[in-house]
Amino acid sequence: AASFDPYKVRADFPILQTTVSPGGPKLIYLDNGATTQKPRQVIDAISRYYESQNANIHRGVYRLSQVATDLYESARRKVQAFINAADEKECLFVRGTTEGVNLVAGCWGRTKLKAGDEVLVSTMEHHSNIVPWQIACEMTGATLRVIPMNDAGELAMDDYAKMLSERTKFVAVTHLSNAMGTVNDVKTIARLAHKVGAKVLVDGAQWVAHAPTDVRDIDADFYVFSGHKLFGPTGIGVLYGKRELLEAMPPYMGGGDMIESVTFEKSTYAQLPNKFEAGTPDIAGAVGLGAAIDYVTSIGVANYVQHEQDLLHYATEQLSAIPGLRIIGTAKNKGSVVSFVMDGIASLDIGTRLDGEGVAVRTGHHCCMPLMNRLGIPSTTRASFAMYNTREDVDALVAAVQKVRQESNAKVSRAAAANESA
Ligand code: PMP
């Protein structure tokens, strides 16, 4: 851990050397929960692919097609090692977390659920881990139930344990909350679910870039993540599923590459993983994701966990000292996400003002409208850190938020003075 140097890592990311506009402030990128920036190594791998390795995969007899196929399948093996899956065939390439959840809710949910069954999701789920389950429940007559949380944003594990019964068929929870930073005890969630025979999907979108991932240790039945939040390109992500579950599920999309044989009377399907990868996939995306995995593996994800925790604690402490600022999400176990609201200032105004200082943060409901309802707020401002962020980035954020506070106070006192003289 002592050997991790965020300044050295930063140098690999071209965009972090830029200003937000010509002659404008330096970019302080704190929206890593939305997407991460890409290192030169990933950008180069994608360029190299299109410059000298591009061909369609799994079909050409010629050498170039074999090169592209090898690259694509070697990216799959990198994914397998990265999440410690037992078999590379359990790692399917999809467009991202959203498609991964929809695949499971569609192929598993719509075929296995029936009236009287229950699907559990948590209060803090992203819309992409709610809506696909609502659709599956509407189509099958199953019921969607919600695991509650306390005011700190921690799941109520006792309540969860009580909700489980032989009716529970599926539990879908996030590993790390994008809106509050809460880390959920997914290993315990899975163990309890398995006791009643339910299957478990873990949304790893916010986790994989920030701490080591071990799908077998969690004993997740399904685990999903997006390449673009792991320093890789957009358009590619991973659905991990246990082999026997994937084999028992019907295909997601029909088309080329997912079949064994086709006649007008009947088609038979290919083995895993091809069965779930109809059509020409995002080959360059897989190559880029493979390069991103190589990149973080060479640094060692475990080596920067402490650095991100240090940024989290430093930012929390500095921001908490600003009058009228309240941190949203105060769980004991948190990832490097700091969400907050400020008295008398709308999140959108905070975000717009910070943009003027070069500080990129997210404002809004973070695709978690039910969570915002539970919290009784419309939105938050969220700073989310990655390994390449530094204490100077936190200082820039805090200074900008302090400015927003002072300007707002000045406006309020001018209004009060005008009121008195009137
Ligand atoms: N789940 C969580 C927790 C997320 O943070 C996100 C992205 N904001 C998603 C799912 C959806 O990911 P994507 O848009 O890449 O499919």
Side-chain angles (χ1 to χ4, degrees), residues 169-192:
K169 291 294 166 349
F170 207 93
V171 179
V173 287
T174 192
H175 203 162
L176 200 166
S177 156
N178 62 308
M180 299 181 296
T182 309
V183 173
N184 289 319
D185 181 0
V186 288
K187 197 172 167 173
T188 301
I189 289 171
R191 188 170 49 77
L192 295 176

Side-chain angles (χ1 to χ4, degrees), residues 33-34 96-99 126 128 174 176 178 203 205-206 226 228-229:
T97 306
T98 302
E99 189 175 48
H126 188 279
S128 65
T174 192
L176 200 166
N178 62 308
D203 172 354
Q206 294 293 334
S226 303
H228 70 93
K229 296 182 201 270

Side-chain angles (χ1 to χ4, degrees), residues 37 50 70 84 156 216 218 342 411:
Q37 298 303 344
Y50 280 127
D70 289 348
N84 195 31
R216 276 188 287 173
I218 297 166
M342 290 173 83
K411 224 197 262 168

